[in-house]
Amino acid sequence: MSETKDEWVPFSARRSEAGLEDFVRLSDGVPDWLCESLWEWLAGEMHRRTSGINGRLYDTPDERKIRRVERILKISSEWRGIGDLHSDRIEGLSKFRAVLYGDDEAFLGAVDLVLSDHEPGDDPCGRLETVLEEGASAWRVGLVSDRPGLVERIDPTVQLAAETTGTLDPRAGRLLADAWKHAFSMNRDPSAAYRCAVRAVEAAASPVISPSDSIPTLGKMISAFRSKPEKWIFSFKVDSAANPKDVLLGMLQMIWTNEYSRHVDPDVQAPLHVSQKEAESAVVLALTLVNWFISGAISRNLPAE
């Protein structure tokens, strides 16, 4: 590794492979080395500009913002003041800080909520991303329902592929974005993520496999493809190891049949909801499938006229 400014790593990390792995390892929650920097960003967002008795402007903690975070996150700072005095608001912000420092989930939730009040590309978004990236946080600034929000820091290539694919087809892209939000944002819902992933594939595949079906489902499309695969062209060529159409069929089958949360299994030991890992895998799989269908990699084998 060349030691440019952007690639600098501590001496301890340069000494051994284990040290380097420890340095680049992402940390969930709010580790000690990130607390003060994260609070500095959040506290700066919890102020408002007001004027004093001499008419000069100054910044003071905004009690309305503190109370809003308390209400939405359902946490209490145990601050009983009403915010009439600057010193009282300072006490409220101090109590608010103490609560967040004892609860990583609330801390990140507060950051996520305040972040959502900004527009994408605003300066505070960039400053927060710098803090999170330098602190090797498992979270980064991304988009959640078209608003800035904390999302899981994943491979940037996969992230870029998701963002690019989402712009190619409005319906499939919207469903894929919803799946991504439910799988990788702070407010996760694995079952919703899986459901949106399946619907995104249905939206992308139906014009290719079942263009005349008024109620296309992935199950019906799988049956149609299985019965007459020769009706479609796949950009991959058959080789001695694998038939691309068999692989495609297997991928469609896997994402369809493993969404077991759609039905209640008679087995009382069976899980009622998909797991987080299953949801994440389904979303990444859907990303590939959606891209294939909307990019033209899979097309109908129309007879010559």
Side-chain angles (χ1 to χ4, degrees):
M1 176 186 293
S2 61
E3 293 183 23
T4 64
K5 181 177 180 181
D6 291 338
E7 297 174 335
W8 184 89
V9 295
F11 174 69
S12 59
R14 300 198 301 269
R15 295 187 63 189
S16 67
E17 184 175 342
L20 181 60
E21 290 178 354
D22 186 61
F23 173 68
V24 300
R25 183 179 297 114
L26 299 180
S27 299
D28 200 356
V30 185
D32 293 341
W33 62 84
L34 197 54
C35 257
E36 293 301 326
S37 297
L38 205 57
W39 171 251
E40 182 180 359
W41 181 89
L42 182 61
E45 295 293 311
M46 303 299 289
H47 282 72
R48 61 181 171 86
R49 183 61 61 91
T50 188
S51 59
I53 55 176
N54 56 4
R56 299 181 65 178
L57 296 176
Y58 68 98
D59 289 330
T60 184
D62 191 333
E63 70 278 9
R64 292 171 299 180
K65 292 183 178 180
I66 296 175
R67 297 306 189 196
R68 175 173 176 254
V69 174
E70 286 182 317
R71 292 192 302 271
I72 293 179
L73 297 184
K74 297 179 175 60
I75 59 175
S76 172
S77 65
E78 299 185 0
W79 172 45
R80 307 305 180 194
I82 57 175
D84 284 345
L85 301 175
H86 176 71
S87 59
D88 185 38
R89 291 191 288 272
I90 289 291
E91 180 185 4
L93 191 63
S94 177
K95 288 181 177 294
F96 181 61
R97 169 181 171 169
V99 170
L100 298 186
Y101 270 48
D103 186 340
D104 284 6
E105 193 73 15
F107 203 156
L108 290 171
V111 170
D112 185 54
L113 174 60
V114 173
L115 179 62
S116 70
D117 290 331
H118 288 285
E119 295 294 330
D122 282 355
D123 180 65
C125 299
R127 288 190 284 105
L128 177 60
E129 174 56 22
T130 297
V131 169
L132 295 170
E133 184 176 15
E134 291 181 345
S137 173
W139 300 96
R140 61 179 288 271
V141 175
L143 291 180
V144 180
S145 298
D146 299 325
R147 304 294 304 174
L150 294 183
V151 297
E152 187 175 352
R153 189 180 299 278
I154 61 175
D155 185 275
T157 304
V158 177
Q159 178 74 38
L160 179 61
E163 294 172 356
T164 302
T165 300
T167 64
L168 297 179
D169 181 272
R171 294 180 69 247
R174 179 69 266 174
L175 290 166
L176 197 58
D178 287 343
W180 199 268
K181 173 187 69 176
H182 291 309
F184 297 110
S185 72
M186 284 291 298
N187 302 310
R188 294 175 172 179
D189 186 338
S191 293
Y194 205 119
R195 182 171 61 254
C196 289
V198 170
R199 294 184 66 202
V201 175
E202 289 176 334
S206 59
V208 179
I209 297 181
S210 306
S212 59
D213 192 340
S214 60
I215 309 177
T217 67
L218 195 52
K220 290 193 288 185
M221 286 183 261
I222 289 171
S223 297
F225 191 89
R226 180 187 292 113
S227 63
K228 291 186 177 181
E230 66 276 6
K231 291 177 62 176
W232 291 273
I233 300 172
F234 196 7
S235 59
F236 284 108
K237 303 302 181 184
V238 177
D239 61 26
S240 59
N243 184 324
K245 290 184 181 179
D246 290 343
V247 175
L248 172 61
L249 184 62
M251 293 170 68
L252 293 170
Q253 188 72 40
M254 182 165 60
I255 195 172
W256 174 248
T257 58
N258 281 286
E259 193 194 358
Y260 52 79
S261 60
R262 289 180 296 124
H263 308 290
V264 177
D265 195 312
D267 182 0
V268 295
Q269 301 300 321
L272 295 176
H273 305 285
V274 297
S275 68
Q276 177 64 28
K277 289 298 182 183
E278 288 172 316
E280 291 177 6
S281 298
V283 173
V284 175
L285 177 56
L287 170 61
T288 299
L289 290 168
V290 168
N291 184 275
W292 281 346
F293 280 106
I294 65 179
S295 68
I298 304 165
S299 59
R300 295 181 68 83
N301 188 7
L302 299 177
E305 296 182 358

